[in-house]
Amino acid sequence: MKKLAGLFAASLVAVAVTGCNDKESKPEAANNAAAPASDKVVNLYTWTEYVPDGLLDEFTKETGIKVNVSSLESNETMYAKVKLQGAGDDGYDVIAPSNYFVSKMAREGMLKELDHSKLPVIAELDPDWLDKPYDKGNKYSLPQLLGAPGIAYNVNTYKGSDFTSWGDLWKPEYAGKVQLLDDAREVFNIALLKLGLDPNTTKPEEIKAAYEELLKLRPNVLSFNSDNPANSFISGEVELGQLWNGSVRIAKKEAPGTIDMVFPKEGPVLWVDTLAIPANAKHPDAAHKLINYLLSEKVAEKLTLEIGYPTSNLKAKAKLPAEITHDPAIYPTAEVLQKSYWQDDVGEAVEIYEKYYQELKAAK
């Protein structure tokens, strides 16, 4: 998943997909007025990397349903767009909120309850990914891909044993060398964990304490980057910093034997990107068909091979090469998962995080 910092992310790019996904378009409405809308079109709003070329070809061929894809660049922008959308054909039918936005949107009545009878793919999903606190019983969402941030490093410069704690990034010898993800919550998570605090805290005094701790880290920070953050490691511009597990997979493919990652002893803060249906979606039947397709074995396997993030589909996982499923930097071990946290919605406290985050980035 590509996250962008701040509450106001870049504008969206709409893409019409009928066998390729590079033609700009708005979600269809008038073209299908004569036929049942649910049988002809579905509007998908998901992360850019999650729809590689050709991924939706078979769905359109099998169902006759045209998929209009809009590029999702942040949960905050997605939330605002869905909040404002009407019930017309130009609204989104399937969205891809991260787990902590599922709970927020469900609580606010923004999501439609899923009809599990129309989603047989559920039987293929890892039960350890289901029925989580953010969506008990998976009433509103199904998990697609798992993200876990860790400490990435150039193996020719550093050893994995050099990094056992998030606190290692504060060491003075790393002055001007550390890349952080450009995301307020991801950055504050490491400081809160270093301080032994809840990474999902909403207490202003604890968030402030994390900010003050991050000011001590600031001299070590070379850059903040969530826009294809693996690229700077691949190019050699950066040799140490935060990365998501999917980004590590990309780095390992592009620069074999150069990049690796470890999860610190405090544990990572996990997120899951899900698939859900807005409450006022115009094409719910087509939406269920698309979700079932996107989570299916064949599609899930292709997507993880393409972008590296662990899939929720167990049948797909069984087909993946060991270089992915047996790599603890990509698929966190059971031990790591046990000490991990789930990133949760922090409500209005997100404004406090954002305020301090912008101050942190501006600090010298």
Side-chain angles (χ1 to χ4, degrees), residues 77-86 105 108-110 280:
T77 299
M78 176 271 302
Y79 169 82
K81 289 273 188 176
V82 175
K83 191 81 170 177
L84 293 173
Q85 85 171 28
M105 297 176 78
E108 296 181 19
M110 295 174 64
N280 54 4

Side-chain angles (χ1 to χ4, degrees), residues 26-298:
K26 294 181 179 179
E28 277 208 358
N31 290 1
N32 296 288
S38 61
D39 292 336
K40 294 297 179 182
V41 65
V42 62
N43 301 321
L44 171 64
Y45 187 17
T46 191
W47 305 95
T48 305
E49 299 91 336
Y50 291 9
V51 191
D53 288 344
L55 190 76
L56 297 169
D57 291 357
E58 190 172 341
F59 177 77
T60 298
K61 183 178 179 180
E62 289 178 354
T63 65
I65 298 172
K66 180 179 180 179
V67 184
N68 297 315
V69 182
S70 294
S71 178
L72 194 164
E73 294 182 330
S74 81
N75 277 288
E76 292 81 9
T77 299
M78 176 271 302
Y79 169 82
K81 289 273 188 176
V82 175
K83 191 81 170 177
L84 293 173
Q85 85 171 28
D89 279 0
D90 58 344
Y92 302 116
D93 299 303
V94 177
I95 58 176
S98 299
N99 58 292
Y100 50 100
F101 265 76
V102 171
S103 55
K104 175 181 177 66
M105 297 176 78
R107 187 172 62 249
E108 296 181 19
M110 295 174 64
L111 300 180
K112 183 184 292 293
E113 287 195 27
L114 298 177
D115 183 344
H116 286 195
S117 70
K118 296 180 179 178
L119 296 165
V121 74
I122 292 174
E124 299 178 10
L125 304 186
D126 189 336
D128 287 342
W129 291 41
L130 301 175
D131 196 31
K132 293 301 181 184
Y134 69 87
D135 185 16
K136 296 295 291 183
N138 294 97
K139 288 178 63 177
Y140 300 102
S141 68
L142 289 176
Q144 186 177 24
L145 297 166
L146 175 72
I151 298 177
Y153 58 95
N154 185 303
V155 299
N156 298 314
T157 305
Y158 305 106
K159 296 180 180 178
S161 58
D162 293 341
F163 310 106
T164 60
S165 167
W166 285 115
D168 291 334
L169 297 179
W170 272 254
K171 291 180 178 179
E173 58 262 40
Y174 302 138
K177 296 181 178 181
V178 176
Q179 175 176 286
L180 296 180
L181 293 166
D182 193 3
D183 182 286
R185 292 293 304 282
E186 295 283 20
V187 171
F188 272 75
N189 285 343
I190 67 173
L192 289 164
L193 289 171
K194 179 177 184 288
L195 294 171
L197 299 173
D198 180 1
N200 295 303
T201 184
T202 59
K203 297 177 180 178
E205 66 273 16
E206 293 185 346
I207 301 172
K208 182 180 180 181
Y211 166 66
E212 292 171 347
E213 193 67 24
L214 287 166
L215 286 176
K216 300 174 188 175
L217 175 64
R218 190 64 178 86
N220 286 11
V221 179
L222 172 65
S223 59
F224 296 86
N225 183 7
S226 285
D227 187 3
N228 296 316
N231 288 351
S232 52
F233 280 85
I234 294 167
S235 68
E237 176 187 350
V238 171
E239 295 186 328
L240 176 64
Q242 277 182 305
L243 268 189
W244 291 303
N245 51 335
S247 299
V248 171
R249 164 63 178 167
I250 293 171
K252 288 187 174 188
K253 284 199 301 182
E254 297 297 322
T258 302
I259 312 298
D260 206 351
M261 186 172 79
V262 295
F263 295 109
K265 63 183 181 182
E266 299 90 352
V269 180
L270 307 174
W271 47 261
V272 170
D273 283 337
T274 75
L275 293 170
I277 302 175
N280 54 4
K282 186 67 173 180
H283 315 110
D285 288 339
H288 280 84
K289 291 177 183 177
L290 181 59
I291 290 174
N292 205 70
Y293 175 82
L294 290 172
L295 296 178
S296 65
E297 174 186 347
K298 188 174 182 180

